[in-house]
Amino acid sequence: MAFPAGWITPGWPAPGNVLATCTTRTGGVSQSPYDSLNLGDHVADDPAAVAGNRAAFAAALGARPVFLKQVHGRDTVELLRGTADGTQADGCFTRERGVGCTIMVADCLPVLFTTRTGDVVGAAHAGWRSLAGHEGQGILEAVFSRMEARPAEVLAWLGPCIGPDTFEVGPEVRAAFMERDAGAASLFRTHGPSKFFADLPGLARRRLQALGVEAIYGNDGTRPWCTVSNPSIFFSHRRDRISGRLAASIWLA
């Protein structure tokens, strides 16, 4: 399936009935500072422009993307044909055809899941809070559990997010990840008094590997994947404060 120029198609060995994409800034009708394909309806953009962008997105997918109300938590919902937009959750999965598990981001990490047999797909909104979770149980663990698949059968793709050279955090973020995993310290680089640079995609890979998931693709923490460092390609809340939203979506054809 061909998507609009500039959108990111995961490079992974997903089965043929599994389709996925991640948007960039281009291809929509929103005006600055939301130019142009803003898919977020909660960022003070013109509602008519957002509706037009979402309609264009759905047409490109050939499926119905379900837009969640993301709150940086761990709740995960099963998407059905009648699931309403605005359902509160930070993770989702589905076994129904034509229903897009969709995550909006503007620095947080979108993670897409499928199985080698293509019987179920899922998606997670992995900002640091939802990724860290509580006592080592965050959004990735929640989606993985709900998909009910063996680790060796799961494929995961990491989309664009704030990169390890721009994601400055305080000691409380480092402590949240080290609560149950002292080895997570290797993914925090000291940056001034009580400040660290955190490797968000690296932390997600570490969590997935702890679950037994080894087939992990996409964001490797290099600059081309960084939302902050590529203003012509990606929205970034940390960079711009007033920003649109990208979307990563996966569905069964």
Side-chain angles (χ1 to χ4, degrees), residues 17-248:
N17 69 315
V18 174
L19 299 176
T21 191
C22 181
T23 64
T24 57
R25 295 187 69 140
T26 60
V29 297
S30 291
Q31 301 299 305
S32 179
Y34 307 102
D35 47 326
S36 62
L37 189 63
N38 166 44
L39 295 165
D41 65 354
H42 60 295
V43 295
D45 191 6
D46 176 7
V50 177
N53 291 340
R54 287 188 171 189
F57 181 56
L61 268 55
R64 184 204 158 205
V66 178
F67 292 95
L68 303 173
K69 180 182 179 182
Q70 300 166 187
V71 294
H72 299 276
R74 293 181 290 171
D75 287 349
T76 298
V77 295
E78 181 176 9
L79 300 185
L80 306 172
R81 294 190 182 279
T83 302
D85 286 342
T87 297
Q88 183 169 304
D90 284 272
C92 54
F93 71 99
T94 190
R95 292 182 172 83
E96 293 204 9
R97 295 180 182 180
V99 179
C101 295
T102 303
I103 297 297
M104 289 187 294
V105 294
D107 285 329
C108 293
L109 174 69
V111 182
L112 304 181
F113 296 90
T114 188
T115 57
R116 297 183 187 279
T117 54
D119 58 328
V120 60
V121 295
H125 171 229
W128 79 261
R129 289 179 179 83
S130 52
L131 182 60
H134 179 63
E135 296 186 345
Q137 297 299 303
I139 191 60
L140 299 185
E141 290 81 7
V143 174
F144 176 83
S145 174
R146 295 292 304 275
M147 288 176 63
E148 299 181 337
R150 294 187 299 111
E153 291 297 309
V154 174
L155 310 176
W157 182 80
L158 313 183
C161 72
I162 189 169
D165 293 328
T166 54
F167 189 25
E168 185 181 82
V169 301
E172 74 284 357
V173 177
R174 184 173 181 266
F177 283 95
M178 292 179 62
E179 181 182 15
R180 288 295 182 93
D181 178 17
S186 65
L187 294 163
F188 292 85
R189 179 162 47 91
T190 302
H191 176 62
S194 299
K195 293 292 183 181
F196 302 89
F197 278 132
D199 184 346
L200 189 61
L203 290 164
R205 285 176 180 270
R206 187 174 180 89
R207 285 294 188 90
L208 290 167
Q209 290 165 347
L211 289 169
V213 177
E214 295 293 339
I216 307 170
Y217 303 86
N219 191 337
D220 59 2
T222 55
R223 189 179 179 87
W225 291 96
C226 177
T227 48
V228 175
S229 303
N230 295 279
S232 65
I233 302 172
F234 302 126
F235 293 116
S236 168
H237 176 72
R238 180 164 291 210
R239 181 189 65 230
D240 300 327
R241 296 304 173 189
I242 300 175
S243 172
R245 295 295 184 268
L246 313 171

